[in-house]
Amino acid sequence: VQLQASGGGLVQAGGSLRLSCAASGNVFSINIMGWHRQAPGKQRELVASSSRAGISFYDDSVKGRFTISRDNARNTVSLQMNSLKPEDTAVYYCAARRFGREEYSVWGQGTQVTVSS
């Protein structure tokens, strides 16, 4: 499985950005697709995820602002980020968990999101 992420960029606080991730290869082995982020000097954290069955998870810090959407037919997952804050600045990574696995084992390349105050 390969993941190709796109989107990101520089935006002012209060603005919006959309990240997209396309999966290819043995996509039927994937259950959960998620977006993680890592800010400078901080650990990587899970921001949002979506299971193949449509169950979504959001970290408390982004609830009400970010929306994850998944298209199983196109093997894509997107993250719509609204009301962005400077603390959302980080490198964002798309990742996938296979069925029966607890860890995210497939990672896309990171994409930088910078929110200016």
PDB file of all heavy atoms in Angstrom, residues 53-94:
ATOM      1  N   ALA A  53     -15.789   1.300   7.804  1.00  0.00           N
ATOM      2  CA  ALA A  53     -17.231   1.273   8.098  1.00  0.00           C
ATOM      3  C   ALA A  53     -17.803   2.658   8.342  1.00  0.00           C
ATOM      4  O   ALA A  53     -19.016   2.793   8.537  1.00  0.00           O
ATOM      5  CB  ALA A  53     -17.483   0.389   9.323  1.00  0.00           C
ATOM      6  N   GLY A  54     -16.948   3.662   8.365  1.00  0.00           N
ATOM      7  CA  GLY A  54     -17.451   5.035   8.496  1.00  0.00           C
ATOM      8  C   GLY A  54     -17.426   5.605   9.897  1.00  0.00           C
ATOM      9  O   GLY A  54     -18.016   6.661  10.152  1.00  0.00           O
ATOM     10  N   ILE A  55     -16.734   4.924  10.796  1.00  0.00           N
ATOM     11  CA  ILE A  55     -16.630   5.440  12.159  1.00  0.00           C
ATOM     12  C   ILE A  55     -15.467   6.424  12.220  1.00  0.00           C
ATOM     13  O   ILE A  55     -14.351   6.092  11.823  1.00  0.00           O
ATOM     14  CB  ILE A  55     -16.419   4.302  13.158  1.00  0.00           C
ATOM     15  CG1 ILE A  55     -17.627   3.343  13.102  1.00  0.00           C
ATOM     16  CG2 ILE A  55     -16.227   4.843  14.563  1.00  0.00           C
ATOM     17  CD1 ILE A  55     -17.435   2.084  13.902  1.00  0.00           C
ATOM     18  N   SER A  56     -15.748   7.612  12.723  1.00  0.00           N
ATOM     19  CA  SER A  56     -14.733   8.657  12.772  1.00  0.00           C
ATOM     20  C   SER A  56     -14.287   8.931  14.197  1.00  0.00           C
ATOM     21  O   SER A  56     -15.041   8.732  15.157  1.00  0.00           O
ATOM     22  CB  SER A  56     -15.261   9.951  12.147  1.00  0.00           C
ATOM     23  OG  SER A  56     -15.577   9.756  10.790  1.00  0.00           O
ATOM     24  N   PHE A  57     -13.076   9.398  14.299  1.00  0.00           N
ATOM     25  CA  PHE A  57     -12.497   9.796  15.589  1.00  0.00           C
ATOM     26  C   PHE A  57     -11.856  11.165  15.391  1.00  0.00           C
ATOM     27  O   PHE A  57     -11.254  11.434  14.347  1.00  0.00           O
ATOM     28  CB  PHE A  57     -11.442   8.782  16.043  1.00  0.00           C
ATOM     29  CG  PHE A  57     -10.507   9.351  17.086  1.00  0.00           C
ATOM     30  CD1 PHE A  57     -10.854   9.336  18.425  1.00  0.00           C
ATOM     31  CD2 PHE A  57      -9.296   9.916  16.717  1.00  0.00           C
ATOM     32  CE1 PHE A  57     -10.009   9.870  19.380  1.00  0.00           C
ATOM     33  CE2 PHE A  57      -8.442  10.454  17.656  1.00  0.00           C
ATOM     34  CZ  PHE A  57      -8.799  10.437  18.995  1.00  0.00           C
ATOM     35  N   TYR A  58     -11.986  12.005  16.405  1.00  0.00           N
ATOM     36  CA  TYR A  58     -11.331  13.307  16.387  1.00  0.00           C
ATOM     37  C   TYR A  58     -10.658  13.548  17.729  1.00  0.00           C
ATOM     38  O   TYR A  58     -11.225  13.251  18.787  1.00  0.00           O
ATOM     39  CB  TYR A  58     -12.336  14.436  16.146  1.00  0.00           C
ATOM     40  CG  TYR A  58     -12.986  14.406  14.792  1.00  0.00           C
ATOM     41  CD1 TYR A  58     -14.215  13.794  14.603  1.00  0.00           C
ATOM     42  CD2 TYR A  58     -12.374  15.004  13.691  1.00  0.00           C
ATOM     43  CE1 TYR A  58     -14.829  13.755  13.354  1.00  0.00           C
ATOM     44  CE2 TYR A  58     -12.974  14.981  12.440  1.00  0.00           C
ATOM     45  CZ  TYR A  58     -14.192  14.356  12.283  1.00  0.00           C
ATOM     46  OH  TYR A  58     -14.785  14.323  11.046  1.00  0.00           O
ATOM     47  N   ASP A  59      -9.474  14.100  17.684  1.00  0.00           N
ATOM     48  CA  ASP A  59      -8.846  14.560  18.907  1.00  0.00           C
ATOM     49  C   ASP A  59      -9.647  15.753  19.422  1.00  0.00           C
ATOM     50  O   ASP A  59     -10.212  16.523  18.643  1.00  0.00           O
ATOM     51  CB  ASP A  59      -7.399  14.963  18.624  1.00  0.00           C
ATOM     52  CG  ASP A  59      -6.672  15.372  19.876  1.00  0.00           C
ATOM     53  OD1 ASP A  59      -6.252  14.463  20.621  1.00  0.00           O
ATOM     54  OD2 ASP A  59      -6.544  16.581  20.120  1.00  0.00           O
ATOM     55  N   ASP A  60      -9.682  15.901  20.727  1.00  0.00           N
ATOM     56  CA  ASP A  60     -10.467  16.990  21.322  1.00  0.00           C
ATOM     57  C   ASP A  60     -10.047  18.361  20.796  1.00  0.00           C
ATOM     58  O   ASP A  60     -10.858  19.275  20.693  1.00  0.00           O
ATOM     59  CB  ASP A  60     -10.325  16.966  22.839  1.00  0.00           C
ATOM     60  CG  ASP A  60     -11.117  15.844  23.478  1.00  0.00           C
ATOM     61  OD1 ASP A  60     -11.991  15.263  22.793  1.00  0.00           O
ATOM     62  OD2 ASP A  60     -10.866  15.548  24.656  1.00  0.00           O
ATOM     63  N   SER A  61      -8.778  18.495  20.469  1.00  0.00           N
ATOM     64  CA  SER A  61      -8.268  19.794  20.047  1.00  0.00           C
ATOM     65  C   SER A  61      -8.816  20.259  18.698  1.00  0.00           C
ATOM     66  O   SER A  61      -8.723  21.436  18.368  1.00  0.00           O
ATOM     67  CB  SER A  61      -6.737  19.761  19.985  1.00  0.00           C
ATOM     68  OG  SER A  61      -6.295  18.856  18.991  1.00  0.00           O
ATOM     69  N   VAL A  62      -9.390  19.333  17.934  1.00  0.00           N
ATOM     70  CA  VAL A  62      -9.874  19.706  16.596  1.00  0.00           C
ATOM     71  C   VAL A  62     -11.361  19.482  16.416  1.00  0.00           C
ATOM     72  O   VAL A  62     -11.914  19.807  15.364  1.00  0.00           O
ATOM     73  CB  VAL A  62      -9.101  18.948  15.487  1.00  0.00           C
ATOM     74  CG1 VAL A  62      -7.600  19.153  15.639  1.00  0.00           C
ATOM     75  CG2 VAL A  62      -9.445  17.471  15.486  1.00  0.00           C
ATOM     76  N   LYS A  63     -12.011  18.951  17.437  1.00  0.00           N
ATOM     77  CA  LYS A  63     -13.449  18.687  17.319  1.00  0.00           C
ATOM     78  C   LYS A  63     -14.204  19.975  17.008  1.00  0.00           C
ATOM     79  O   LYS A  63     -13.959  21.010  17.621  1.00  0.00           O
ATOM     80  CB  LYS A  63     -13.974  18.064  18.614  1.00  0.00           C
ATOM     81  CG  LYS A  63     -13.684  16.590  18.742  1.00  0.00           C
ATOM     82  CD  LYS A  63     -14.248  16.033  20.049  1.00  0.00           C
ATOM     83  CE  LYS A  63     -13.949  14.549  20.167  1.00  0.00           C
ATOM     84  NZ  LYS A  63     -14.422  14.002  21.472  1.00  0.00           N
ATOM     85  N   GLY A  64     -15.110  19.874  16.063  1.00  0.00           N
ATOM     86  CA  GLY A  64     -15.892  21.045  15.674  1.00  0.00           C
ATOM     87  C   GLY A  64     -15.219  21.927  14.646  1.00  0.00           C
ATOM     88  O   GLY A  64     -15.857  22.826  14.081  1.00  0.00           O
ATOM     89  N   ARG A  65     -13.945  21.695  14.395  1.00  0.00           N
ATOM     90  CA  ARG A  65     -13.204  22.507  13.429  1.00  0.00           C
ATOM     91  C   ARG A  65     -12.747  21.689  12.218  1.00  0.00           C
ATOM     92  O   ARG A  65     -12.706  22.188  11.102  1.00  0.00           O
ATOM     93  CB  ARG A  65     -12.000  23.161  14.092  1.00  0.00           C
ATOM     94  CG  ARG A  65     -12.337  24.056  15.257  1.00  0.00           C
ATOM     95  CD  ARG A  65     -11.111  24.822  15.754  1.00  0.00           C
ATOM     96  NE  ARG A  65     -10.054  23.954  16.247  1.00  0.00           N
ATOM     97  CZ  ARG A  65      -8.825  23.924  15.759  1.00  0.00           C
ATOM     98  NH1 ARG A  65      -8.482  24.706  14.745  1.00  0.00           N
ATOM     99  NH2 ARG A  65      -7.920  23.097  16.273  1.00  0.00           N
ATOM    100  N   PHE A  66     -12.351  20.462  12.458  1.00  0.00           N
ATOM    101  CA  PHE A  66     -11.847  19.591  11.400  1.00  0.00           C
ATOM    102  C   PHE A  66     -12.900  18.538  11.073  1.00  0.00           C
ATOM    103  O   PHE A  66     -13.621  18.069  11.945  1.00  0.00           O
ATOM    104  CB  PHE A  66     -10.575  18.873  11.831  1.00  0.00           C
ATOM    105  CG  PHE A  66      -9.364  19.748  11.978  1.00  0.00           C
ATOM    106  CD1 PHE A  66      -9.442  21.132  11.954  1.00  0.00           C
ATOM    107  CD2 PHE A  66      -8.103  19.169  12.147  1.00  0.00           C
ATOM    108  CE1 PHE A  66      -8.327  21.930  12.093  1.00  0.00           C
ATOM    109  CE2 PHE A  66      -6.974  19.951  12.288  1.00  0.00           C
ATOM    110  CZ  PHE A  66      -7.092  21.334  12.267  1.00  0.00           C
ATOM    111  N   THR A  67     -12.951  18.169   9.807  1.00  0.00           N
ATOM    112  CA  THR A  67     -13.847  17.109   9.368  1.00  0.00           C
ATOM    113  C   THR A  67     -13.084  16.146   8.471  1.00  0.00           C
ATOM    114  O   THR A  67     -12.477  16.563   7.482  1.00  0.00           O
ATOM    115  CB  THR A  67     -15.042  17.668   8.592  1.00  0.00           C
ATOM    116  OG1 THR A  67     -15.756  18.603   9.409  1.00  0.00           O
ATOM    117  CG2 THR A  67     -15.987  16.549   8.173  1.00  0.00           C
ATOM    118  N   ILE A  68     -13.127  14.870   8.834  1.00  0.00           N
ATOM    119  CA  ILE A  68     -12.490  13.851   8.003  1.00  0.00           C
ATOM    120  C   ILE A  68     -13.553  13.199   7.142  1.00  0.00           C
ATOM    121  O   ILE A  68     -14.670  12.941   7.595  1.00  0.00           O
ATOM    122  CB  ILE A  68     -11.742  12.811   8.879  1.00  0.00           C
ATOM    123  CG1 ILE A  68     -10.872  11.914   8.000  1.00  0.00           C
ATOM    124  CG2 ILE A  68     -12.701  11.999   9.738  1.00  0.00           C
ATOM    125  CD1 ILE A  68      -9.883  11.060   8.798  1.00  0.00           C
ATOM    126  N   SER A  69     -13.227  12.986   5.901  1.00  0.00           N
ATOM    127  CA  SER A  69     -14.152  12.321   4.998  1.00  0.00           C
ATOM    128  C   SER A  69     -13.397  11.271   4.191  1.00  0.00           C
ATOM    129  O   SER A  69     -12.229  11.468   3.832  1.00  0.00           O
ATOM    130  CB  SER A  69     -14.823  13.328   4.064  1.00  0.00           C
ATOM    131  OG  SER A  69     -13.867  14.066   3.339  1.00  0.00           O
ATOM    132  N   ARG A  70     -14.079  10.197   3.936  1.00  0.00           N
ATOM    133  CA  ARG A  70     -13.427   9.079   3.268  1.00  0.00           C
ATOM    134  C   ARG A  70     -14.294   8.591   2.115  1.00  0.00           C
ATOM    135  O   ARG A  70     -15.515   8.498   2.233  1.00  0.00           O
ATOM    136  CB  ARG A  70     -13.192   7.934   4.269  1.00  0.00           C
ATOM    137  CG  ARG A  70     -12.493   6.723   3.690  1.00  0.00           C
ATOM    138  CD  ARG A  70     -12.073   5.798   4.799  1.00  0.00           C
ATOM    139  NE  ARG A  70     -11.498   4.573   4.292  1.00  0.00           N
ATOM    140  CZ  ARG A  70     -10.933   3.660   5.049  1.00  0.00           C
ATOM    141  NH1 ARG A  70     -10.853   3.835   6.362  1.00  0.00           N
ATOM    142  NH2 ARG A  70     -10.438   2.561   4.515  1.00  0.00           N
ATOM    143  N   ASP A  71     -13.668   8.292   1.028  1.00  0.00           N
ATOM    144  CA  ASP A  71     -14.344   7.741  -0.144  1.00  0.00           C
ATOM    145  C   ASP A  71     -13.721   6.383  -0.432  1.00  0.00           C
ATOM    146  O   ASP A  71     -12.623   6.309  -0.992  1.00  0.00           O
ATOM    147  CB  ASP A  71     -14.185   8.690  -1.332  1.00  0.00           C
ATOM    148  CG  ASP A  71     -14.990   8.276  -2.547  1.00  0.00           C
ATOM    149  OD1 ASP A  71     -15.264   7.060  -2.692  1.00  0.00           O
ATOM    150  OD2 ASP A  71     -15.327   9.131  -3.355  1.00  0.00           O
ATOM    151  N   ASN A  72     -14.400   5.333  -0.024  1.00  0.00           N
ATOM    152  CA  ASN A  72     -13.850   3.990  -0.199  1.00  0.00           C
ATOM    153  C   ASN A  72     -13.759   3.603  -1.680  1.00  0.00           C
ATOM    154  O   ASN A  72     -12.884   2.833  -2.069  1.00  0.00           O
ATOM    155  CB  ASN A  72     -14.691   2.966   0.549  1.00  0.00           C
ATOM    156  CG  ASN A  72     -14.516   3.064   2.039  1.00  0.00           C
ATOM    157  OD1 ASN A  72     -13.439   3.392   2.541  1.00  0.00           O
ATOM    158  ND2 ASN A  72     -15.585   2.801   2.778  1.00  0.00           N
ATOM    159  N   ALA A  73     -14.646   4.138  -2.495  1.00  0.00           N
ATOM    160  CA  ALA A  73     -14.624   3.813  -3.926  1.00  0.00           C
ATOM    161  C   ALA A  73     -13.390   4.399  -4.605  1.00  0.00           C
ATOM    162  O   ALA A  73     -12.813   3.789  -5.504  1.00  0.00           O
ATOM    163  CB  ALA A  73     -15.885   4.318  -4.599  1.00  0.00           C
ATOM    164  N   ARG A  74     -12.996   5.580  -4.157  1.00  0.00           N
ATOM    165  CA  ARG A  74     -11.819   6.237  -4.736  1.00  0.00           C
ATOM    166  C   ARG A  74     -10.557   6.021  -3.906  1.00  0.00           C
ATOM    167  O   ARG A  74      -9.486   6.470  -4.285  1.00  0.00           O
ATOM    168  CB  ARG A  74     -12.088   7.733  -4.896  1.00  0.00           C
ATOM    169  CG  ARG A  74     -13.119   8.068  -5.966  1.00  0.00           C
ATOM    170  CD  ARG A  74     -13.279   9.582  -6.111  1.00  0.00           C
ATOM    171  NE  ARG A  74     -14.034   9.939  -7.291  1.00  0.00           N
ATOM    172  CZ  ARG A  74     -15.355   9.968  -7.337  1.00  0.00           C
ATOM    173  NH1 ARG A  74     -16.060   9.657  -6.267  1.00  0.00           N
ATOM    174  NH2 ARG A  74     -15.975  10.307  -8.452  1.00  0.00           N
ATOM    175  N   ASN A  75     -10.710   5.358  -2.752  1.00  0.00           N
ATOM    176  CA  ASN A  75      -9.569   5.092  -1.874  1.00  0.00           C
ATOM    177  C   ASN A  75      -8.874   6.382  -1.446  1.00  0.00           C
ATOM    178  O   ASN A  75      -7.639   6.493  -1.503  1.00  0.00           O
ATOM    179  CB  ASN A  75      -8.558   4.162  -2.557  1.00  0.00           C
ATOM    180  CG  ASN A  75      -9.179   2.847  -2.954  1.00  0.00           C
ATOM    181  OD1 ASN A  75      -9.830   2.198  -2.134  1.00  0.00           O
ATOM    182  ND2 ASN A  75      -9.015   2.452  -4.204  1.00  0.00           N
ATOM    183  N   THR A  76      -9.687   7.333  -1.052  1.00  0.00           N
ATOM    184  CA  THR A  76      -9.146   8.618  -0.618  1.00  0.00           C
ATOM    185  C   THR A  76      -9.704   8.982   0.757  1.00  0.00           C
ATOM    186  O   THR A  76     -10.779   8.534   1.154  1.00  0.00           O
ATOM    187  CB  THR A  76      -9.493   9.744  -1.601  1.00  0.00           C
ATOM    188  OG1 THR A  76     -10.916   9.852  -1.710  1.00  0.00           O
ATOM    189  CG2 THR A  76      -8.911   9.479  -2.982  1.00  0.00           C
ATOM    190  N   VAL A  77      -8.942   9.794   1.447  1.00  0.00           N
ATOM    191  CA  VAL A  77      -9.402  10.368   2.704  1.00  0.00           C
ATOM    192  C   VAL A  77      -8.962  11.828   2.714  1.00  0.00           C
ATOM    193  O   VAL A  77      -7.859  12.159   2.273  1.00  0.00           O
ATOM    194  CB  VAL A  77      -8.850   9.598   3.920  1.00  0.00           C
ATOM    195  CG1 VAL A  77      -7.334   9.702   4.007  1.00  0.00           C
ATOM    196  CG2 VAL A  77      -9.492  10.089   5.200  1.00  0.00           C
ATOM    197  N   SER A  78      -9.857  12.686   3.172  1.00  0.00           N
ATOM    198  CA  SER A  78      -9.563  14.109   3.194  1.00  0.00           C
ATOM    199  C   SER A  78      -9.777  14.663   4.595  1.00  0.00           C
ATOM    200  O   SER A  78     -10.523  14.092   5.390  1.00  0.00           O
ATOM    201  CB  SER A  78     -10.466  14.853   2.204  1.00  0.00           C
ATOM    202  OG  SER A  78     -10.238  14.405   0.882  1.00  0.00           O
ATOM    203  N   LEU A  79      -9.122  15.745   4.850  1.00  0.00           N
ATOM    204  CA  LEU A  79      -9.266  16.433   6.136  1.00  0.00           C
ATOM    205  C   LEU A  79      -9.543  17.896   5.841  1.00  0.00           C
ATOM    206  O   LEU A  79      -8.660  18.615   5.362  1.00  0.00           O
ATOM    207  CB  LEU A  79      -8.007  16.277   6.987  1.00  0.00           C
ATOM    208  CG  LEU A  79      -8.117  16.819   8.407  1.00  0.00           C
ATOM    209  CD1 LEU A  79      -9.086  15.971   9.228  1.00  0.00           C
ATOM    210  CD2 LEU A  79      -6.737  16.844   9.086  1.00  0.00           C
ATOM    211  N   GLN A  80     -10.759  18.319   6.097  1.00  0.00           N
ATOM    212  CA  GLN A  80     -11.127  19.712   5.954  1.00  0.00           C
ATOM    213  C   GLN A  80     -10.860  20.404   7.277  1.00  0.00           C
ATOM    214  O   GLN A  80     -11.415  20.002   8.309  1.00  0.00           O
ATOM    215  CB  GLN A  80     -12.605  19.852   5.579  1.00  0.00           C
ATOM    216  CG  GLN A  80     -13.090  21.281   5.463  1.00  0.00           C
ATOM    217  CD  GLN A  80     -12.429  22.028   4.317  1.00  0.00           C
ATOM    218  OE1 GLN A  80     -12.230  21.478   3.239  1.00  0.00           O
ATOM    219  NE2 GLN A  80     -12.085  23.292   4.552  1.00  0.00           N
ATOM    220  N   MET A  81     -10.009  21.406   7.236  1.00  0.00           N
ATOM    221  CA  MET A  81      -9.606  22.092   8.457  1.00  0.00           C
ATOM    222  C   MET A  81     -10.105  23.526   8.412  1.00  0.00           C
ATOM    223  O   MET A  81      -9.680  24.306   7.544  1.00  0.00           O
ATOM    224  CB  MET A  81      -8.080  22.056   8.585  1.00  0.00           C
ATOM    225  CG  MET A  81      -7.506  20.655   8.542  1.00  0.00           C
ATOM    226  SD  MET A  81      -5.718  20.603   8.783  1.00  0.00           S
ATOM    227  CE  MET A  81      -5.159  21.403   7.294  1.00  0.00           C
ATOM    228  N   ASN A  82     -11.017  23.835   9.302  1.00  0.00           N
ATOM    229  CA  ASN A  82     -11.588  25.184   9.385  1.00  0.00           C
ATOM    230  C   ASN A  82     -11.184  25.850  10.691  1.00  0.00           C
ATOM    231  O   ASN A  82     -10.731  25.176  11.629  1.00  0.00           O
ATOM    232  CB  ASN A  82     -13.111  25.119   9.284  1.00  0.00           C
ATOM    233  CG  ASN A  82     -13.592  24.548   7.968  1.00  0.00           C
ATOM    234  OD1 ASN A  82     -12.954  24.711   6.923  1.00  0.00           O
ATOM    235  ND2 ASN A  82     -14.725  23.861   8.007  1.00  0.00           N
ATOM    236  N   SER A  83     -11.362  27.143  10.748  1.00  0.00           N
ATOM    237  CA  SER A  83     -11.042  27.901  11.972  1.00  0.00           C
ATOM    238  C   SER A  83      -9.658  27.551  12.486  1.00  0.00           C
ATOM    239  O   SER A  83      -9.461  27.287  13.678  1.00  0.00           O
ATOM    240  CB  SER A  83     -12.103  27.628  13.045  1.00  0.00           C
ATOM    241  OG  SER A  83     -13.392  27.966  12.588  1.00  0.00           O
ATOM    242  N   LEU A  84      -8.710  27.538  11.596  1.00  0.00           N
ATOM    243  CA  LEU A  84      -7.358  27.135  11.958  1.00  0.00           C
ATOM    244  C   LEU A  84      -6.731  28.089  12.957  1.00  0.00           C
ATOM    245  O   LEU A  84      -6.983  29.305  12.934  1.00  0.00           O
ATOM    246  CB  LEU A  84      -6.495  27.022  10.711  1.00  0.00           C
ATOM    247  CG  LEU A  84      -6.736  25.735   9.899  1.00  0.00           C
ATOM    248  CD1 LEU A  84      -6.220  25.880   8.482  1.00  0.00           C
ATOM    249  CD2 LEU A  84      -6.084  24.545  10.585  1.00  0.00           C
ATOM    250  N   LYS A  85      -5.930  27.508  13.834  1.00  0.00           N
ATOM    251  CA  LYS A  85      -5.241  28.259  14.879  1.00  0.00           C
ATOM    252  C   LYS A  85      -3.735  28.100  14.696  1.00  0.00           C
ATOM    253  O   LYS A  85      -3.278  27.101  14.129  1.00  0.00           O
ATOM    254  CB  LYS A  85      -5.647  27.722  16.255  1.00  0.00           C
ATOM    255  CG  LYS A  85      -7.140  27.718  16.519  1.00  0.00           C
ATOM    256  CD  LYS A  85      -7.440  27.054  17.858  1.00  0.00           C
ATOM    257  CE  LYS A  85      -8.931  27.021  18.143  1.00  0.00           C
ATOM    258  NZ  LYS A  85      -9.235  26.373  19.443  1.00  0.00           N
ATOM    259  N   PRO A  86      -2.963  29.024  15.215  1.00  0.00           N
ATOM    260  CA  PRO A  86      -1.505  28.885  15.115  1.00  0.00           C
ATOM    261  C   PRO A  86      -1.009  27.561  15.699  1.00  0.00           C
ATOM    262  O   PRO A  86      -0.035  26.987  15.201  1.00  0.00           O
ATOM    263  CB  PRO A  86      -0.981  30.082  15.905  1.00  0.00           C
ATOM    264  CG  PRO A  86      -2.044  31.119  15.734  1.00  0.00           C
ATOM    265  CD  PRO A  86      -3.337  30.342  15.745  1.00  0.00           C
ATOM    266  N   GLU A  87      -1.673  27.071  16.723  1.00  0.00           N
ATOM    267  CA  GLU A  87      -1.251  25.802  17.329  1.00  0.00           C
ATOM    268  C   GLU A  87      -1.544  24.591  16.453  1.00  0.00           C
ATOM    269  O   GLU A  87      -1.147  23.472  16.786  1.00  0.00           O
ATOM    270  CB  GLU A  87      -1.890  25.614  18.715  1.00  0.00           C
ATOM    271  CG  GLU A  87      -3.389  25.801  18.756  1.00  0.00           C
ATOM    272  CD  GLU A  87      -3.775  27.203  19.206  1.00  0.00           C
ATOM    273  OE1 GLU A  87      -3.139  28.184  18.739  1.00  0.00           O
ATOM    274  OE2 GLU A  87      -4.704  27.320  20.025  1.00  0.00           O
ATOM    275  N   ASP A  88      -2.240  24.788  15.347  1.00  0.00           N
ATOM    276  CA  ASP A  88      -2.436  23.704  14.388  1.00  0.00           C
ATOM    277  C   ASP A  88      -1.235  23.552  13.455  1.00  0.00           C
ATOM    278  O   ASP A  88      -1.174  22.605  12.657  1.00  0.00           O
ATOM    279  CB  ASP A  88      -3.690  23.947  13.541  1.00  0.00           C
ATOM    280  CG  ASP A  88      -4.968  23.900  14.346  1.00  0.00           C
ATOM    281  OD1 ASP A  88      -5.087  22.999  15.208  1.00  0.00           O
ATOM    282  OD2 ASP A  88      -5.843  24.756  14.127  1.00  0.00           O
ATOM    283  N   THR A  89      -0.301  24.468  13.545  1.00  0.00           N
ATOM    284  CA  THR A  89       0.889  24.411  12.703  1.00  0.00           C
ATOM    285  C   THR A  89       1.681  23.142  12.993  1.00  0.00           C
ATOM    286  O   THR A  89       2.018  22.848  14.134  1.00  0.00           O
ATOM    287  CB  THR A  89       1.784  25.637  12.947  1.00  0.00           C
ATOM    288  OG1 THR A  89       1.089  26.811  12.531  1.00  0.00           O
ATOM    289  CG2 THR A  89       3.095  25.520  12.185  1.00  0.00           C
ATOM    290  N   ALA A  90       1.919  22.368  11.950  1.00  0.00           N
ATOM    291  CA  ALA A  90       2.611  21.091  12.092  1.00  0.00           C
ATOM    292  C   ALA A  90       2.803  20.474  10.712  1.00  0.00           C
ATOM    293  O   ALA A  90       2.249  20.956   9.718  1.00  0.00           O
ATOM    294  CB  ALA A  90       1.798  20.135  12.963  1.00  0.00           C
ATOM    295  N   VAL A  91       3.573  19.416  10.687  1.00  0.00           N
ATOM    296  CA  VAL A  91       3.615  18.561   9.505  1.00  0.00           C
ATOM    297  C   VAL A  91       2.524  17.507   9.686  1.00  0.00           C
ATOM    298  O   VAL A  91       2.477  16.831  10.711  1.00  0.00           O
ATOM    299  CB  VAL A  91       4.984  17.899   9.331  1.00  0.00           C
ATOM    300  CG1 VAL A  91       4.966  16.965   8.117  1.00  0.00           C
ATOM    301  CG2 VAL A  91       6.076  18.952   9.187  1.00  0.00           C
ATOM    302  N   TYR A  92       1.659  17.399   8.700  1.00  0.00           N
ATOM    303  CA  TYR A  92       0.547  16.462   8.749  1.00  0.00           C
ATOM    304  C   TYR A  92       0.856  15.237   7.898  1.00  0.00           C
ATOM    305  O   TYR A  92       1.346  15.360   6.772  1.00  0.00           O
ATOM    306  CB  TYR A  92      -0.731  17.135   8.270  1.00  0.00           C
ATOM    307  CG  TYR A  92      -1.320  18.085   9.286  1.00  0.00           C
ATOM    308  CD1 TYR A  92      -0.684  19.280   9.607  1.00  0.00           C
ATOM    309  CD2 TYR A  92      -2.509  17.780   9.959  1.00  0.00           C
ATOM    310  CE1 TYR A  92      -1.196  20.145  10.560  1.00  0.00           C
ATOM    311  CE2 TYR A  92      -3.041  18.640  10.906  1.00  0.00           C
ATOM    312  CZ  TYR A  92      -2.382  19.818  11.205  1.00  0.00           C
ATOM    313  OH  TYR A  92      -2.907  20.671  12.155  1.00  0.00           O
ATOM    314  N   TYR A  93       0.545  14.068   8.455  1.00  0.00           N
ATOM    315  CA  TYR A  93       0.813  12.805   7.785  1.00  0.00           C
ATOM    316  C   TYR A  93      -0.468  11.990   7.641  1.00  0.00           C
ATOM    317  O   TYR A  93      -1.238  11.848   8.595  1.00  0.00           O
ATOM    318  CB  TYR A  93       1.809  11.967   8.585  1.00  0.00           C
ATOM    319  CG  TYR A  93       3.163  12.587   8.779  1.00  0.00           C
ATOM    320  CD1 TYR A  93       3.431  13.410   9.861  1.00  0.00           C
ATOM    321  CD2 TYR A  93       4.194  12.332   7.872  1.00  0.00           C
ATOM    322  CE1 TYR A  93       4.679  13.978  10.045  1.00  0.00           C
ATOM    323  CE2 TYR A  93       5.450  12.889   8.047  1.00  0.00           C
ATOM    324  CZ  TYR A  93       5.675  13.708   9.130  1.00  0.00           C
ATOM    325  OH  TYR A  93       6.924  14.266   9.307  1.00  0.00           O
ATOM    326  N   CYS A  94      -0.666  11.461   6.479  1.00  0.00           N
ATOM    327  CA  CYS A  94      -1.710  10.480   6.256  1.00  0.00           C
ATOM    328  C   CYS A  94      -1.153   9.103   6.598  1.00  0.00           C
ATOM    329  O   CYS A  94       0.008   8.808   6.276  1.00  0.00           O
ATOM    330  CB  CYS A  94      -2.140  10.534   4.788  1.00  0.00           C
ATOM    331  SG  CYS A  94      -3.333   9.286   4.295  1.00  0.00           S
TER     332      CYS A  94
END
